[in-house]
Amino acid sequence: MLYDTIDELMEKARLAEGKTFGEIDNTGRIKNLKSKGTLGNIIEESYFGYEINSTSKPDFENLGVELKVTPFKRNKNGTYSAKERLVLNIIDYMKEYKLTFETSSFMSKAAKMLIMLYKHDPDIQINDYRIFKAFLNEFSEEDLAVMRRDWETIVTKIRNGEAHLISEADTMYLSACTKGVNKTSVRQQPFSSIEAKQRAFSLKASYMTGLIRKYITPEHMESITKPGELSDKTLDEILNERFMPHYGKSVDVLCKEAGIKYNPGNKSMIPHLMTKLLGVSKNDIDQIEEFSKANIKFKTIRREPDGKIREHMSFTNIDFDTLLEEDWEDSELFNMFSEQKYLFLVFRFTEKYQKGVKRIPYFEGIKLWNMPQGTIENELYELWAETRRVVREGVELVPKSNRVNNNLPGSKFNRICHVRSKAQDGDDKILLPDGQWITKQGYWLDKDYIQMILDER
DNA sequence: GCATGATCATGC
DNA sequence: GCATGATCATGC
């Protein structure tokens, strides 16, 4: 063995900081680089002088250390994020359920990782990418507690014969991402005859972002849980406990208690209020460690006195050019629901809606939600495919009085999700690929679907 | 009463 | 200027 101790290995690893892949490579493979995994292979072979190993054992087997070479990127606002999730080993559905978290394939591979970060930049040639930082990662107790639960969530689906229903958004930090040569890569599962998509354990991009920021920017996130708390309770339970004392209070009262200005027009008021109620000094929920690492977004829901919801829930606007180019599993829509979780903050009005009358809602509860895989694969996919078809064939725009009707999949499409306009004003239009102008459009979840989610269980 | 297109308001 | 959460308006 070349490295007898971890210190020796890390000393060598750190010497790579600042070097480019071109400088390190002595196999010539960097020139015709095809797969992203190759960068890791180059480090393994040219830098550490190891043979490439694709077994379930860690790369530096005698030290129990797995090598991971992974990119980060600089965002428009100057912060840094992981460019992608960190993919570990493929899950063998036939075996994994027989293991415990401690003996799991995930833990035997990833308990100790030598992570080498390089900066991704679309304007730079791959051989000029530079190793920025090399460090040894061992998970904190808090993170392991969450990952243990994540692992159990995944294994429970296998045990229930539901491996084909696994979704990345089911879990918080550790997820099961699809991995295969193509979409038809499937595997047997032990308790169902339905073949399940091949998946690998991975650390979510949001989790990796948290990890990377610790090393790149000394920026520090605030935690809402106490040490050890996450091993006994789920985040859902902890949040409910924290918010419970505030249920039944009106928003203006809550604002007063939290010492912030009540201004219903301010859309950051609710998120702001929630961070205050959680006892966190940050204004931005993305600065709360548990939300940030698990990729959880806030969404407020206002219910009528009878529990109904008046308005559909809007999501990001559609970029039609991208829509025509993207593949389903890399699409914006897919990512929005397969990788993100949502914390619904539920409010209720006590008075009936009346045009022009301002009402103050009461805080009713929370619900941590992600879209089930079945819905993602059916209704959500249909929406994407139909929107694409209409855009490709050319949206039919029919002016009628002071509006313009279109044939995009609207709110009667499938009872789950639809496409509808969302713009600042009548001039806020966007160019379609065929040269027509259309009022900006966004993705929406149907209000009846949201209501169903809130009422279930 | 709902579907559906349009627009308001605010912060970054 | 724009994204986005929130809401309005009207015709069937």
Side-chain angles (χ1 to χ4, degrees):
Chain A
M1 285 298 168
L2 282 165
Y3 304 96
D4 294 324
T5 65
I6 289 183
D7 285 348
E8 218 176 293
L9 174 67
M10 289 312 297
E11 197 179 321
K12 170 77 175 170
R14 279 189 212 102
L15 289 175
E17 289 176 1
K19 292 202 168 81
T20 67
F21 286 93
E23 286 162 6
I24 290 170
D25 178 46
N26 57 24
T27 65
R29 272 189 304 164
I30 190 92
K31 300 237 156 40
N32 42 18
L33 194 120
K34 286 196 192 93
S35 78
K36 280 180 284 179
T38 310
L39 288 179
N41 293 344
I42 285 169
I43 297 290
E44 228 171 327
E45 286 189 332
S46 296
Y47 193 72
F48 290 108
Y50 267 65
E51 301 224 340
I52 296 167
N53 136 5
S54 63
T55 67
S56 58
K57 304 222 176 81
D59 296 314
F60 301 101
E61 198 185 335
N62 61 320
L63 302 173
V65 173
E66 174 74 4
L67 173 70
K68 284 290 172 192
V69 180
T70 191
F72 67 96
K73 61 178 183 189
R74 192 190 152 92
N75 301 316
K76 284 193 192 110
N77 64 8
T79 60
Y80 293 96
S81 296
K83 182 164 176 294
E84 51 206 44
R85 58 175 81 71
L86 188 70
V87 181
L88 303 157
N89 57 299
I90 286 179
I91 306 171
D92 186 341
Y93 301 125
M94 305 304 282
K95 288 186 185 151
E96 194 74 24
Y97 76 95
K98 297 177 184 163
L99 305 172
T100 63
F101 180 65
E102 282 69 24
T103 61
S104 66
S105 61
F106 163 69
M107 280 306 275
S108 41
K109 190 90 170 168
K112 277 185 201 151
M113 288 188 288
L114 163 48
I115 296 181
M116 297 178 91
L117 296 177
Y118 65 91
K119 190 169 166 204
H120 169 89
D121 184 338
D123 301 329
I124 290 180
Q125 299 256 324
I126 292 184
N127 56 324
D128 289 331
Y129 281 176
R130 221 173 265 282
I131 305 277
F132 185 83
K133 192 98 198 154
F135 59 93
L136 184 75
N137 181 70
E138 290 181 77
F139 300 111
S140 69
E141 284 300 313
E142 284 72 27
D143 287 3
L144 275 179
V146 176
M147 289 174 189
R148 172 193 299 272
R149 233 180 260 285
D150 288 342
W151 183 83
E152 278 162 6
T153 301
I154 294 165
V155 165
T156 301
K157 284 211 166 167
I158 301 175
R159 288 207 183 101
N160 292 344
E162 291 176 338
H164 56 293
L165 294 178
I166 293 172
S167 163
E168 265 200 278
D170 287 344
T171 49
M172 313 289 283
Y173 301 167
L174 174 66
S175 69
C177 72
T178 56
K179 183 178 167 87
V181 253
N182 57 47
K183 292 183 182 87
T184 60
S185 294
V186 287
R187 284 186 161 243
Q188 257 190 296
Q189 56 172 316
F191 302 110
S192 165
S193 56
I194 303 170
E195 289 190 312
K197 267 191 199 150
Q198 176 158 288
R199 288 181 182 271
F201 282 121
S202 63
L203 295 169
K204 291 190 175 187
S206 49
Y207 180 81
M208 290 306 294
T209 294
L211 200 148
I212 284 168
R213 284 186 184 169
K214 264 205 324 216
Y215 288 91
I216 299 181
T217 43
E219 168 185 8
H220 138 130
M221 288 192 287
E222 213 166 322
S223 170
I224 53 162
T225 60
K226 295 182 211 103
E229 199 175 12
L230 275 165
S231 20
D232 307 328
K233 297 174 204 148
T234 63
L235 182 60
D236 217 352
E237 288 164 351
I238 293 170
L239 287 173
N240 244 314
E241 265 176 33
R242 297 278 198 287
F243 284 131
M244 195 80 78
H246 308 294
Y247 292 159
K249 291 184 187 169
S250 63
V251 175
D252 56 345
V253 169
L254 287 174
C255 280
K256 198 172 284 172
E257 287 182 2
I260 65 172
K261 200 168 165 245
Y262 174 67
N263 172 10
N266 179 353
K267 58 188 154 214
S268 57
M269 181 187 78
I270 296 286
H272 195 154
L273 174 61
M274 293 300 141
T275 53
K276 287 279 184 201
L277 295 184
L278 288 171
V280 169
S281 64
K282 309 273 182 186
N283 284 342
D284 185 359
I285 57 152
D286 287 333
Q287 289 290 319
I288 298 178
E289 189 170 349
E290 293 86 352
F291 289 133
S292 169
K293 286 180 176 172
N295 205 1
I296 297 172
K297 310 280 177 210
F298 277 173
K299 282 281 181 188
T300 52
I301 298 172
R302 284 156 301 277
R303 307 184 86 177
E304 294 301 307
D306 61 1
K308 291 206 170 129
I309 300 169
R310 271 179 59 80
E311 303 289 344
H312 304 293
M313 182 184 278
S314 74
F315 291 82
T316 174
N317 273 359
I318 306 173
D319 177 337
F320 292 104
D321 295 319
T322 312
L323 177 71
L324 290 192
E325 285 163 22
E326 67 194 4
D327 291 325
W328 165 237
E329 296 208 344
D330 305 311
S331 67
E332 284 185 28
L333 187 63
F334 180 81
N335 286 339
M336 221 180 320
F337 293 103
S338 72
E339 290 178 14
Q340 272 168 213
K341 278 182 172 300
Y342 295 92
L343 181 69
F344 293 149
L345 303 164
V346 188
F347 297 86
R348 197 186 283 240
F349 293 113
T350 50
E351 302 152 79
K352 279 196 171 159
Y353 169 77
Q354 238 186 310
K355 200 166 85 181
V357 177
K358 290 271 172 265
R359 299 176 293 169
I360 300 177
Y362 286 73
F363 189 24
E364 187 176 71
I366 58 161
K367 177 149 184 139
L368 190 60
W369 175 83
N370 63 278
M371 186 179 275
Q373 181 67 8
T375 311
I376 292 175
E377 284 175 11
N378 292 298
E379 286 89 346
L380 194 72
Y381 172 75
E382 285 162 17
L383 179 74
W384 178 81
E386 175 63 6
T387 308
R388 237 172 154 233
R389 186 191 67 77
V390 172
V391 172
R392 195 186 304 112
E393 292 175 8
V395 182
E396 288 169 27
L397 296 170
V398 185
K400 204 167 189 184
S401 60
N402 50 0
R403 42 202 268 164
V404 183
N405 293 343
N406 67 58
N407 61 337
L408 289 162
S411 60
K412 271 185 298 193
F413 179 63
N414 63 12
R415 319 255 78 185
I416 302 281
C417 45
H418 63 272
V419 167
R420 224 166 89 246
S421 59
K422 188 160 85 105
Q424 294 173 66
D425 53 51
D427 295 325
D428 197 15
K429 292 175 187 293
I430 188 172
L431 197 58
L432 285 160
D434 65 2
Q436 303 186 90
W437 289 91
I438 189 170
T439 307
K440 284 184 182 167
Q441 304 285 316
Y443 294 112
W444 299 71
L445 287 187
D446 294 20
K447 54 189 182 179
D448 292 346
Y449 177 53
I450 304 288
Q451 199 184 327
M452 207 192 70
I453 293 165
L454 296 183
D455 288 339
E456 69 192 15
R457 142 176 90 154

